[in-house]
Amino acid sequence: MRHEPATVPLGDLPTAHALVAHLRGLAQRRGIDLDTALRPPPPEPTTCCGRGCNGCVWEGFYEALHHWRMDALALLDAAA
């Protein structure tokens, strides 16, 4: 099954890694280095206590990754 990068749900680390790799690959095929054209993707949290807190650091990570994804997609669309 094929997924659109803009709508892939972000809620687990393997999906997040796959999305970043996919967008970097798309950019590379268009002659763009996302790591220099944009700020880097957000770093993975290292301070999670694992208790499922409301406002968990992972929620912030996935929200920041969503914004990075949208910036990357806008850059790719402009270069198309």
Side-chain angles (χ1 to χ4, degrees), residues 1-55:
M1 174 184 265
R2 187 173 172 95
H3 297 281
E4 286 298 318
T7 60
V8 170
L10 296 172
D12 63 85
L13 203 49
T15 299
H17 286 168
L19 175 71
V20 170
H22 177 72
L23 291 175
R24 282 179 171 153
L26 284 176
Q28 186 177 29
R29 288 190 290 281
R30 294 182 186 176
I32 300 168
D33 180 3
L34 279 185
D35 293 325
T36 57
L38 295 176
R39 68 191 182 286
E44 296 169 21
T46 59
T47 58
C48 179
C49 66
R51 291 183 279 180
C53 303
N54 186 21

